Structures are given as C-alpha cells and as structure tokens.
C-alpha cells in the first residue's frame, strides 16, 4: 500500500490553499476530524480532482463542519440526511464526484435507513463516517457505536452493545466496505482514494477520536487495537470478509483497510431529464394563476 505524500502539483496547491479556511475551525484541539480533513485533501490531490468536479455533503454535528474547510462545492444537510442528498445529486448529475462526510450518530442512528438503502441501491457516492462513539456537538451522549471495546457481560436498553457498521454494510449489499483510523492519515488517504474511485457506493468507517467526550476510545487505545488487513485477504470474497471480521473480533482487534470490494452489477445510470424539455409543451398558466 502506498504511503507517498500528496504530489506537489498545481492541483495540490488548490486544495492546500484551504489550509486557511474560509470558516474558523470549530473542532477541539486534537480532534480526529483534523486528520480526516487532511486525508481528504491528500486523496483529492492524488486523484487530480478540481473543486468544481466535487460535491461535498455534510450533516449535522462536528463532522458536518468539514465541508466548510474544503474548497469544493458543498451542501450542509439535515441530521441523518447526507446520504439522501448525495443520492439525489448523483441521480441528477452522475458526472460529479459526490462525497458524503458524516458522523456515526448522523449515519447509524437517525440516518440508518438511508445507509441501508444506499448499500443496496449502490449509488455512485463515497461515504466517509467520522466514528467517535459519541454525539460530540451535543456534549457527549452515547451514539450507536459507543462502548466499542468495553467489557459488557450484560447490557441495558440505555447502553446496548456497540453497533457494528461494517457487518451491516456487508449484509445490506454494499460493494465497497473499508475502515481507517485518524491516527494514520496517510493510510486513510490511500483508502479514500480507492473509495472515491469505486464505481458505486463506497463506505469508509474512519475511527476519529473525540478527545473531549470519549475518554475510553483514545488515540492510544486505537493504536493498541487496530491492525492492517492481511495482504492475503481477498476483498472480492464476501464470505472471506465476514470471516475476517470474525477473526479480528475474536482477537479483540479492529481491521484497517479494504475489507470488501466487488465489481458493480448495476445498469449504467442516466442523467435525469432536464426540466426545460419536460415542461416545454406544458401549459403552466392554470397552475400559476392561483399565485397571481
């Protein structure tokens, strides 16, 4: 796997200029989202994408702010809504590189229905989830992925076992499933490049520690528990992907890298008809008369 830094090309300069963001960065010092931001910049630079070729969609939460700190076209949606917007955009303009940047609460709680159906519909969207196990913006309530790695012989409705988004994505039919860690942004960038290039729905779960409200899943904790997917793993084999997750869980480890990837079986997507053509022969006067 390549660990080369982003090339110093004119395109990299375009993205680096946004190191001085238009908006003041609001994340806490040490937040894992800084590394996600840098990894996204590296990935877009390696792919030689210009800002007008990319649409970044964020939800509500600390993670949703990331689209303010990048130079691409951006849309700030509702909580749980980034994937719904992303699917609509890629239907209207399949030529855009659509990247949804969301949080774990955003995606796996209120937005879980959008997540499941994105997996099965396979839109041409890359989803990067900044997973920290808490709702940071609202001061640290436990999210669906909260409790990762904590001993739990019994559980309650208020504190259920940690949700496993990788297994859900595989079961729901996602064609690209991967995981990364903010403590290694160069590896994250490698994974993002593969996700953005994947024709279809690509899901990357990035462990992005919340240094303020999650004192258990710290950078040190992740460094002790993450492990690269072995080079002999066949990401095209769905059952091998499940076996890999079983093996890592049995050893108390968390896999980093591409866990599953298969060719797309979806029919080619076509641009939606333009309104001008559809409305060319329609008499709008009766509808507009009401508003006059």
């Amino acid at each position: 796997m390549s660990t080369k830094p982003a090339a110093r090309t004119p395109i990299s300069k375009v993205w680096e200029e946004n190191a001085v963001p238009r908006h003041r960065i609001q994340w806490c010092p040490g937040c894992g989202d800084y590394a996600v931001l840098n990894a996204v910049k590296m990935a877009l630079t390696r792919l030689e994408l210009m800002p007008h070729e990319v649409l970044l969609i964020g939800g509500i939460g600390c993670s949703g702010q990331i689209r303010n700190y990048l130079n691409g076209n951006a849309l700030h949606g509702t909580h749980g809504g980034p994937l719904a917007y992303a699917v609509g955009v890629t239907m209207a303009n399949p030529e855009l590189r659509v990247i949804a940047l969301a949080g774990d609460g955003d995606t796996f709680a209120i937005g879980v229905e959008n997540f499941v159906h994105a997996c099965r519909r396979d839109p041409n969207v890359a989803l990067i989830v900044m997973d920290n196990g808490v709702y940071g913006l609202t001061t640290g309530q436990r999210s669906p992925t909260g409790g990762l790695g904590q001993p739990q012989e019994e559980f309650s409705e208020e504190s259920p076992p940690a949700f496993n988004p990788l297994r859900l994505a595989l079961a729901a039919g996602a064609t690209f499933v991967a995981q990364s860690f903010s403590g290694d942004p160069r590896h994250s960038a490698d994974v993002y490049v593969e996700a953005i290039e994947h024709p279809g729905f690509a899901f990357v779960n990035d462990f992005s520690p919340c240094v303020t409200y999650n004192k258990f899943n710290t950078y040190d904790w992740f460094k002790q528990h993450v492990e690269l997917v072995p080079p002999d793993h066949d990401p095209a084999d769905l059952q091998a992907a499940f076996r890999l997750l079983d093996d890592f869980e049995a050893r108390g480890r968390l896999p980093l890298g591409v866990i599953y990837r298969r060719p797309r079986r979806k029919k080619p997507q076509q641009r939606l008809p333009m309104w001008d053509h559809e409305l060319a022969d329609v008499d709008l006067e009766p509808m507009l008369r009401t508003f006059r």
Side-chain angles (χ1 to χ4, degrees), residues 68-149:
N68 284 332
Y69 313 140
L70 289 158
N71 196 30
N73 295 309
L75 187 152
H76 195 173
T78 55
H79 192 48
L83 274 179
Y85 300 116
V87 171
V89 168
T90 195
M91 289 175 68
N93 188 353
E95 296 176 4
L96 267 180
R97 298 294 182 100
V98 182
I99 304 173
L101 300 153
D104 44 294
D106 199 8
T107 306
F108 307 133
I110 189 172
V112 72
E113 75 280 13
N114 293 329
F115 179 69
V116 169
H117 294 292
C119 289
R120 59 182 283 270
R121 294 181 68 185
D122 205 21
N124 199 24
V125 170
L127 167 67
I128 299 170
V129 174
M130 284 153 268
D131 184 357
N132 57 24
V134 296
Y135 293 87
L137 190 66
T138 51
T139 67
Q141 296 82 8
R142 184 171 173 150
S143 84
T145 55
L148 178 66

